[in-house]
Amino acid sequence: MVGGFLAVSLTDFVQGCIMMCALIVMPLVVLFAGEGGGFDQAAGTLAEVDTSFLSLTEGLSFIGFLSAVTWGLGYFGQPHIIVRFMAIKSVSAVATARNIGMVWMGISLI
C-alpha cells in the first residue's frame, strides 16, 4: 500500500525469479529422484501419453478456436500488462524494455 508502483514491480520481479527457480528445480527433482523417479521412469511415463493430447486441433470446435485466438490477441490489452508498458520512462527505453522482455519470455518458454 505504501510503496506504490515500484513495490509492485519489485514484487513481480521476485515472484518471477521464484517461478523461474521452480521451472529449473522441479524437472531436476523429477529426473534425479532416488526412489520412483529417474530418467527411465520419466521416459516410461512419457511413452504412455496418448499422442492425441499433444494435438492443437484434435476435437477443436469453432468456439474453441475462437477462444484460443482471442486469449492470445487479448493479452496486450489487459490492464495489468498495459500498465507495465505505460511505466516505460521514455520512447528510447522501449527498445531496452522489449529486449529484456523477449529474453525473459524466451528463457521461460524454453
Side-chain angles (χ1 to χ4, degrees):
M1 278 175 47
V2 177
F5 188 74
L6 180 60
V8 171
S9 299
L10 291 175
T11 302
D12 287 348
F13 174 74
V14 170
Q15 289 175 350
C17 289
I18 291 170
M19 288 187 285
M20 182 59 68
C21 288
L23 285 172
I24 293 169
V25 170
M26 284 311 298
L28 296 175
V29 168
V30 169
L31 291 177
F32 296 111
E35 192 174 318
F39 288 102
D40 294 333
Q41 178 65 33
T45 302
L46 288 174
E48 295 173 6
V49 172
D50 183 8
T51 56
S52 68
F53 291 148
L54 302 175
S55 173
L56 295 176
T57 58
E58 181 78 23
L60 186 66
S61 66
F62 176 73
I63 297 295
F65 171 76
L66 190 62
S67 175
V69 170
T70 55
W71 183 268
L73 294 177
Y75 177 80
F76 297 105
Q78 295 178 3
H80 63 284
I81 304 299
I82 281 284
V83 169
R84 300 314 190 258
F85 289 117
M86 291 169 40
I88 298 173
K89 292 183 180 182
S90 67
V91 174
S92 61
V94 170
T96 303
R98 177 200 61 217
N99 293 339
I100 291 170
M102 292 308 293
V103 167
W104 178 257
M105 286 305 299
I107 292 170
S108 296
L109 291 175
I110 288 172

